[in-house]
Amino acid sequence: MAIKVGDKLPHFTALDSDGNAFDSKMYDGKSLVIYFYPKDDTRVCTEQACSFRDQYEDFKTLGAEVIGVSSDSVKSHQKFASRYRLPFILLSDSNKKLRKLFGVSNDLLGLLPGRVTYVIDKNGIVQLVFNSMSGKIHIQKALQILKTM
């Protein structure tokens, strides 16, 4: 069952790009922008990650933490984050548990993992679910919602 606007963010854990355990409960009381993307070091995914990086301070100013999620390994995330100086959290979902938990499906052709962004408010309530294979527009949509919260 896919997470939708108005739902409470479910509790989850995963490994971050440093191999450390990430627990969503550590972010209770904080706004989050969680974005699922297909693959590290691909053109659109890199553009999207770099757009989040370039506007990261805007997200922080609005009180939100950015979290990127893909099925890539911790090692792949380390290289990706280092190469593009990504200041935000990347989570490895190699077993696709988070994709299932959030209900992120593949693209229309079924070939690529989906690209979906969620904005969660300080109370843990989902305020935005944006599904589009276009990368950069996710940043604009997330900032728009955060500015109204």
Side-chain angles (χ1 to χ4, degrees):
M1 187 107 178
I3 291 177
K4 55 192 177 309
V5 172
D7 287 352
K8 180 105 172 120
L9 178 70
H11 173 250
F12 64 90
T13 60
L15 292 178
D16 68 18
S17 57
D18 293 323
N20 297 320
F22 172 92
D23 188 328
S24 63
K25 287 187 181 204
M26 295 184 312
Y27 290 87
D28 284 353
K30 296 181 181 176
S31 297
L32 297 173
V33 175
I34 301 172
Y35 80 98
F36 286 81
Y37 64 98
K39 184 119 181 86
D40 290 346
D41 282 313
T42 56
R43 186 182 60 79
V44 176
C45 295
T46 300
E47 287 173 1
Q48 183 180 28
C50 289
S51 291
F52 270 114
R53 175 201 65 204
D54 294 347
Q55 294 197 261
Y56 184 65
E57 287 307 314
D58 296 334
F59 286 99
K60 296 301 281 183
T61 297
L62 293 168
E65 182 57 62
V66 175
I67 301 169
V69 182
S70 80
S71 61
D72 293 295
S73 69
V74 168
K75 188 174 184 178
S76 175
H77 280 340
Q78 284 175 338
K79 289 178 185 176
F80 188 52
S82 176
R83 178 178 295 149
Y84 297 103
R85 298 176 324 280
L86 304 178
F88 50 85
I89 299 164
L90 293 179
L91 298 180
S92 176
D93 186 32
S94 56
N95 56 13
K96 298 180 179 58
K97 284 173 106 174
L98 295 182
R99 279 192 181 277
K100 286 180 188 167
L101 179 65
F102 279 74
V104 177
S105 58
N106 286 357
D107 70 354
L108 292 176
L109 300 175
L111 303 174
L112 290 173
R115 184 184 310 277
V116 182
T117 296
Y118 300 85
V119 175
I120 296 94
D121 69 17
K122 293 177 183 181
N123 298 313
I125 305 300
V126 177
Q127 298 297 319
L128 173 74
V129 177
F130 183 71
N131 185 349
S132 171
M133 289 311 282
S134 173
K136 289 184 179 180
I137 195 167
H138 288 255
I139 291 85
Q140 297 164 358
K141 294 286 187 183
L143 286 171
Q144 283 174 349
I145 291 294
L146 285 167
K147 288 175 182 173
T148 66
M149 291 176 14

